[in-house]
Amino acid sequence: KAGVTQTPRYLIKTRGQQVTLSCSPISGHRSVSWYQQTPGQGLQFLFEYFSETQRNKGNFPGRFSGRQFSNSRSEMNVSTLELGDSALYLCASSSGQGNTEAFFGQGTRLTVV
Amino acid sequence: GQNIDQPTEMTATEGAIVQINCTYQTSGFNGLFWYQQHAGEAPTFLSYNVLDGLEEKGRFSSFLSRSKGYSYLLLKELQMKDSASYLCAVRDGDSGAGSYQLTFGKGTKLSVIP
């Protein structure tokens, strides 16, 4: 059974640009959650998608957005990048129903210069 | 809002037992998770508690007291490979039982020494 796949693994962007990150969940999982991880703040919840609908949203500005496709793959987009957006972006895949564990992908390391 | 506290760093000796504490304050509660994260890798699930008491899984055990807003992760027979960050995370009551909106503590970096 394939794990959670995030692409790309590493990315360098310039301030003001936008970026799109991708996450393919485990086959059969319908929930994808996105987190930002930085040394100072730890893991912070961005948003969760379930069956193509945003189910929950964290406290991030509107520059951060996402979507989920019918095959459960999800993308997140960050527009007008700022230096402070440099972080490891992790997605977590779960069935989305009941108290089941989530499986994290390896993450995308974004560096904004 | 939610607040989760855990120690920043701990050091323990190979073969010993270590307890990592986590305290939380939440507007609601729908489960507490522990994750392990090695440097440069993805977090991996260790345990889940939603009722008070101890959950044991091999060398790892996790305890929860909802009335005290307190949990701990117990690691027995420590091995060098247990050197990692351990993350405590709470799912609040408003998120729904199936939701994975988790609030994480900043993690405890455990160093296991010979």
Side-chain angles (χ1 to χ4, degrees), chain B residues 50-64:
Chain B
V50 66
L51 300 175
D52 290 351
L54 189 69
E55 294 282 342
E56 296 186 82
K57 191 186 290 187
R59 295 189 299 114
F60 293 15
S61 303
S62 58
F63 172 82
L64 175 67

Side-chain angles (χ1 to χ4, degrees), chain B:
Chain B
Q2 304 198 60
N3 189 41
I4 299 177
D5 287 315
Q6 51 181 129
T8 305
E9 294 184 38
M10 296 182 73
T11 301
T13 305
E14 192 176 13
I17 299 173
V18 70
Q19 177 174 313
I20 302 174
N21 296 324
C22 171
T23 58
Y24 63 89
Q25 296 166 315
T26 63
S27 55
F29 180 82
N30 202 350
L32 187 143
F33 299 78
W34 283 96
Y35 280 84
Q36 179 192 60
Q37 186 176 28
H38 285 99
E41 297 184 12
T44 55
F45 172 83
L46 289 177
S47 69
Y48 170 72
N49 296 70
V50 66
L51 300 175
D52 290 351
L54 189 69
E55 294 282 342
E56 296 186 82
K57 191 186 290 187
R59 295 189 299 114
F60 293 15
S61 303
S62 58
F63 172 82
L64 175 67
S65 168
R66 287 173 297 171
S67 62
K68 295 181 180 178
Y70 168 69
S71 173
Y72 68 71
L73 179 70
L74 195 70
L75 293 76
K76 303 175 187 175
E77 301 169 18
L78 279 172
Q79 301 175 10
M80 299 299 289
K81 67 178 183 179
D82 297 330
S83 292
S85 286
Y86 292 84
L87 309 172
C88 171
V90 170
R91 179 164 58 202
D92 72 36
D94 296 329
S95 299
S99 171
Y100 253 91
Q101 178 174 356
L102 301 180
T103 300
F104 280 84
K106 294 189 178 179
T108 298
K109 184 177 180 181
L110 174 66
S111 298
V112 180
I113 58 175

Side-chain angles (χ1 to χ4, degrees), chain A:
Chain A
K1 191 175 188 180
V4 182
T5 304
Q6 289 189 247
T7 56
R9 289 291 311 276
Y10 302 92
L11 205 50
I12 300 175
K13 289 286 189 179
T14 306
R15 272 182 302 173
Q17 287 187 310
Q18 74 164 17
V19 66
T20 299
L21 312 181
S22 178
C23 173
S24 293
I26 292 170
S27 178
H29 282 187
R30 295 161 63 190
S31 167
V32 174
S33 300
W34 288 90
Y35 290 84
Q36 181 195 65
Q37 187 173 33
T38 58
Q41 298 298 319
L43 268 156
Q44 293 185 289
F45 175 78
L46 281 155
F47 28 66
E48 181 202 8
Y49 285 86
F50 179 77
S51 294
E52 301 180 67
T53 301
Q54 188 179 85
R55 184 155 72 169
N56 285 295
K57 189 176 189 305
N59 295 323
F60 277 80
R63 301 185 296 106
F64 292 81
S65 62
R67 59 178 175 169
Q68 186 179 34
F69 302 95
S70 58
N71 62 357
S72 293
R73 187 178 72 86
S74 177
E75 290 181 347
M76 68 163 280
N77 184 278
V78 187
S79 62
T80 319
L81 283 166
E82 301 176 0
L83 295 179
D85 297 333
S86 295
L88 180 66
Y89 290 88
L90 292 159
C91 80
S93 159
S94 73
S95 69
Q97 296 172 312
N99 294 319
T100 56
E101 67 182 274
F103 298 85
F104 280 87
Q106 291 292 96
T108 294
R109 172 76 61 184
L110 172 66
T111 302
V112 182
V113 297

